[in-house]
Structures are given as structure tokens and as C-alpha cells.
Amino acid sequence: MKSILIAAAVTAFSAAGIAAADTETSTDNLSVRIPILDRAVFYDGYQSEVYDADKEDGILRHSNSLYAVRLTDEQLDMIGSQVGLEVTIGALCDDFDRIGATNIALVPKGSKDYKFADVERIEIARFITPFMNKNRMPNEVPFNYVLPDLELVLRDKALREKYDFWFEFDIFGVPYDANKNITGCRGRNDVFEGSATLVTTPQKEGSSDGHILIPVYTRRQEQHGNVNFNNYKENATDTIGVTTRTFEINLPKDVEDSKVTFILTNHGAAKGGEEYIRRLHLVYFDGDVKMAYTPGGVSCEPYRQYNTMPNSIYQTTAQPEEYWETISNWCPGQAVPVREIHTGALKAGIHKFMIRVPDAEFVGEDGDFRPSIYFQGLENGLLAAGVTDIVAEEKADISFSLDDRTLRIDGADIVASLAVYTPDGQLVYGKNYPGHSLILPDLGSGMHIFVASTPEGRTTFDKIILH
């Protein structure tokens, strides 16, 4: 069995949000602040009556869980060479972990309002709220993000001539448990406070030309059901029984450089649910594997301080890292990584972005993966390199070499697992703690994907052609 080693795809992140519990705050060097929302109160997401709808505060309330604010020309003219986002969630009368997100919506120029379903948008950041008791400190949690190349969107001359940019804040909460269990919440339906501030550099860059933005998909909120990405709903998968979903990108012009930015969280909290089982995710572009990663694997202990309401995820005492490594797709109180794949120079036409989770089960047809995806390209020039803020989400420093059937693994003292997949995601070999050298069985000829993970959750992969 001979092999040809193909250049490995880099697991890059356009941004990984970090909460204050982490050692670094990635927005420190962005000194210009553009306030968007200040302690806006969100209400029961299941209530059809929209509260505060007539309040004259500049907020367009699509529902009790989705608000929007138009970004003014003066605010957009402040955007410099880099953009970040600071979000703060305050506890009111929802004591569960919920999904929150912020979007940029493209609204026809001059519109005083808009219907949510009538416009396209890109999701720029996502977070998971902690279990919070509003009567205990801390009663708010911060999330910070750096968002490379978002400045190209906000400075895009052609987009600004055609659209107004509206900043959307999305957090779906319900008060029912807190009504019974949180002092002062009886009869209330306010669930969270939300604040958001764009931050940027003082250097002004002017308009961006030759920039192409394509919103590909934005997740639907949980009240719509499990409709985003799974293996049992017709419109949520390419093939029933297979956890694969393909998204088309219709590129109108040739580009010199491009990338796809995406956010994905795994949900399903029933017994055997996908929320707590860490699965390999394979990301393809035009049929080629561009990324292999397993979400989570980080310790949730830094976020314990924000989880002031007893819950089933945090035990009464701190847990070791190996405990979190097995169950944490994400942590309550943690910002969700924003991942990207670099797709380089492309010709105009139809391109395909696909996500595959080969081992996902969705026991009892419960659970949903929730992706948001957008494409950026430049007709001339290069996009920014990805930035990683969470060490455990970095690409592991592991390399492979293969001589006949002997695989050598170099660069990491401990490799927790090795898995070999066919290009269509079928597992053909797997071993825990393989060491630095092992004899592989005959895997057959053709392309194979070799994936190695460290105990703390970092992953690397190589594509190897076997003869």
C-alpha cells in the first residue's frame, strides 16, 4: 500500500468569540466604539403579542425574540480596517441555556421597516447563554468577537447603495421555569436583557470595491422546529438517513480570492441526544474535503461562574478536563466559534458547500444541527487570514507519514484518537491512543481522510491517496 500525501487543509477560524473568563479579550486593540443596543429587554418567545412594539427607541421588534436596529451612515462611516463585536446578556426571568445570535440584514435602501422573511442576512456571531438566576451575581455575561473581513461588508460601496444594513439581535427565551423557581419572577414574561456594541480601529479605509457577499443560509429559530440540518427531515438533509446537507453558491463573477464563513451548533438534549455527543464534522467545497473538526472538547469550568442557577450540566463541584472532553459540544455561557474555509480563486458559476456528520444518529428523530453560512470573494486582492482565539479550537500540530502500511504520527506527544474515512464519510479504521507508529490494515485504494485528535480536542487531518 503506497501513498501520496496531499497538502492538508488548514482549520482556520474567522473568529472565535471568547467570554471574559478567558485569558485574552480579542477586542482590546479596537478602540472606536459604536453602540447599537443598550439593555434591550426581550420577552417570552412563544407569545404572539410583541411587547414594547410601540416604544420609540429606534428598535424594530419583529417578535419578542428578534430585534433590529438600522445602522446609520454616520456609524458605517466610522468602520475602520478591522471590526469586532461586544455582546452582554443580562439575566431576567429565563434560567435555562438558550441560543443567541447577531445578524446583519440587507434591507432595501430607505425602508423604515421590513418583514423578516423578505430580506437576506448573514449571521456574524452566536453564543449560548448560561443558566442564570437574576438574584445572584454575576447576573450578566459578556461575549467578545473579532470578525475579519466583516469590515468589507460594512464598507461595500455597491451594497451600501442598494441596501441599508440592519443589526439584528436574536435571543429566544421563555420564562416558565423561572416563574416557578426564581424569586421575583412569578407572573413575569421578560427573559433577558441584551446589549451590543460594534468596535473598530480608528483608521478609516474608505469604500471597498470588487467585494462579493453571498448570504447562503441562516439558521431558523427553535420555534420553527428541527428544520435546519439533520438526517430525518426531508428539507434538512440531502438524503434521509444520512447527515449531509449541501448548499449552493451562485457566484456572479470570477474572484481572485474567496472564503466561506459558517457557524454551527449541535442540539438535541433527550437521552442519547446529539447535544452531548461529540461527532466528527467534515466540510466540503466543490466535492473536496476542506475541513475536519470535532466541536467542543474544551473545559466548561471557566464559564461556571456565570451559571448561577443549578442545572444538569454543571455538577456541584468543579470537574476535570477529561469530563468536559467527552460531553461538551459547547458550554452554557460560551461564545460559539465562527469557522471559515479558504476557497481561493474561483470561476463564476455554481459552487457547492457541504457539511457531513457521518456518525450522527438523532435517536428518536430528536435534535437539530443549526448552521449559518455566507460567502465572501474579492475580484482583486486577498482576504484576511483567519484568527483563532480559543486554543482548544486550533489545528493540532500533528503530521502523518505513511510507508507501505506503517503510519507514523509526529508532532504531538499524545494522540487520543485516529480515524480514517473515505471521502464520502464512511469510517474504515479507528483507534484510540494509537501511539506514534502503527500498522494499518489494507484500506483499499483511492483517497482517504486521516483525522487525529488530541485529548484536549484539537484536530488535524490529511488527505492521502492510497495505491
Side-chain angles (χ1 to χ4, degrees):
M1 179 174 64
K2 300 298 183 183
S3 65
I4 300 175
L5 187 66
I6 298 177
V10 176
T11 304
F13 297 81
S14 65
I18 55 176
D22 293 284
T23 56
E24 297 181 17
T25 302
S26 55
T27 56
D28 281 352
N29 65 331
L30 306 178
S31 58
V32 177
R33 302 178 61 79
I34 307 173
I36 308 298
L37 285 166
D38 182 25
R39 296 187 178 278
V41 177
F42 292 80
Y43 297 91
D44 181 356
Y46 284 120
Q47 290 290 325
S48 58
E49 178 186 353
V50 180
Y51 294 89
D52 296 339
D54 297 327
K55 196 172 183 178
E56 295 183 359
D57 55 3
I59 300 175
L60 172 60
R61 291 168 169 83
H62 291 288
S63 67
N64 289 321
S65 59
L66 182 69
Y67 297 171
V69 176
R70 186 178 69 86
L71 300 179
T72 67
D73 288 337
E74 291 77 13
Q75 289 174 319
L76 293 171
D77 289 342
M78 296 171 67
I79 298 298
S81 58
Q82 194 173 29
V83 175
L85 174 67
E86 297 175 353
V87 170
T88 302
I89 297 297
L92 290 173
C93 290
D94 187 336
D95 55 356
F96 269 74
D97 53 338
R98 308 294 184 188
I99 305 174
T102 59
N103 312 319
I104 299 294
L106 307 179
V107 180
K109 194 74 176 177
S111 302
K112 293 184 178 180
D113 59 19
Y114 64 97
K115 292 183 179 179
F116 180 82
D118 290 346
V119 306
E120 293 186 300
R121 60 188 43 77
I122 60 172
E123 181 179 337
I124 60 173
R126 188 181 302 180
F127 54 88
I128 308 294
T129 70
F131 294 81
M132 290 190 289
N133 183 330
K134 71 180 184 64
N135 302 312
R136 297 174 184 168
M137 295 295 174
N139 61 3
E140 62 180 26
V141 56
F143 305 95
N144 299 332
Y145 308 79
V146 168
L147 302 166
D149 293 320
L150 181 63
E151 71 277 1
L152 296 179
V153 176
L154 300 180
R155 297 201 320 260
D156 189 306
K157 181 179 179 181
L159 287 176
R160 286 187 59 180
E161 288 176 349
K162 186 176 181 180
Y163 300 106
D164 286 328
F165 296 139
W166 288 64
F167 182 94
E168 295 180 337
F169 201 121
D170 167 2
I171 182 167
F172 187 91
V174 294
Y176 313 136
D177 187 80
N179 290 157
K180 297 181 293 184
N181 297 314
I182 300 294
T183 301
C185 282
R186 185 181 300 275
R188 289 174 54 170
N189 66 353
D190 51 339
V191 290
F192 294 106
E193 287 183 335
S195 300
T197 299
L198 288 172
V199 288
T200 187
T201 53
Q203 297 82 13
K204 303 300 182 293
E205 299 293 326
S207 299
S208 62
D209 295 313
H211 168 255
I212 295 174
L213 173 71
I214 301 176
V216 179
Y217 184 84
T218 302
R219 72 168 180 95
R220 301 191 71 189
Q221 284 183 312
E222 43 267 57
Q223 69 265 39
H224 296 289
N226 297 332
V227 296
N228 290 281
F229 176 31
N230 51 63
N231 65 13
Y232 57 91
K233 288 286 183 71
E234 184 175 351
N235 294 324
T237 181
D238 295 344
T239 305
I240 295 295
V242 181
T243 312
T244 300
R245 185 157 185 190
T246 301
F247 303 86
E248 286 195 349
I249 300 169
N250 189 358
L251 182 59
K253 299 179 181 179
D254 295 353
V255 292
E256 185 176 333
D257 197 24
S258 64
K259 69 180 181 182
V260 179
T261 300
F262 69 100
I263 304 171
L264 187 145
T265 48
N266 308 57
H267 303 276
K271 185 177 181 180
E274 292 297 315
E275 192 165 304
Y276 303 115
I277 303 176
R278 301 181 63 228
R279 310 283 197 188
L280 175 71
H281 292 50
L282 298 173
V283 180
Y284 302 72
F285 189 80
D286 286 346
D288 186 25
V289 179
K290 291 291 187 179
M291 180 185 289
Y293 76 94
T294 301
V298 299
S299 172
C300 292
E301 288 303 324
Y303 312 100
R304 177 182 291 275
Q305 61 178 312
Y306 300 111
N307 285 265
T308 54
M309 186 69 182
N311 59 83
S312 60
I313 295 178
Y314 284 91
Q315 309 300 318
T316 55
T317 59
Q319 299 297 309
E321 288 189 6
E322 53 265 29
Y323 169 80
W324 297 112
E325 287 163 7
T326 62
I327 70 166
S328 57
N329 271 301
W330 40 260
C331 305
Q334 181 191 27
V336 175
V338 183
R339 295 179 168 89
E340 69 178 29
I341 59 169
H342 181 241
T343 46
L346 296 174
K347 294 292 185 181
I350 300 296
H351 298 272
K352 294 184 178 181
F353 175 87
M354 183 178 77
I355 305 173
R356 181 190 297 273
V357 188
D359 301 325
E361 295 181 0
F362 297 101
V363 175
E365 295 192 350
D366 177 74
D368 198 28
F369 297 163
R370 296 172 185 161
S372 287
I373 307 156
Y374 66 92
F375 172 94
Q376 283 180 277
L378 286 179
E379 294 179 61
N380 298 286
L382 301 177
L383 294 162
V387 176
T388 302
D389 287 326
I390 300 178
V391 172
E393 294 285 356
E394 290 179 356
K395 180 177 180 290
D397 185 18
I398 299 171
S399 61
F400 303 103
S401 60
L402 188 59
D403 182 13
D404 197 16
R405 287 195 298 149
T406 300
L407 178 72
R408 291 182 174 83
I409 307 171
D410 299 311
D413 291 336
I414 298 177
V415 174
S417 65
L418 171 74
V420 184
Y421 293 83
T422 60
D424 63 356
Q426 296 182 39
L427 177 69
V428 293
Y429 180 80
K431 186 174 180 62
N432 292 327
Y433 296 96
H436 290 280
S437 178
L438 73 161
I439 304 297
L440 293 173
D442 185 0
L443 302 176
S445 61
M447 174 79 73
H448 288 74
I449 304 163
F450 285 65
V451 182
S453 299
T454 65
E456 66 271 22
R458 290 181 294 128
T459 300
T460 194
F461 81 102
D462 279 311
K463 294 173 288 184
I464 302 176
I465 296 177
L466 303 177
H467 296 287

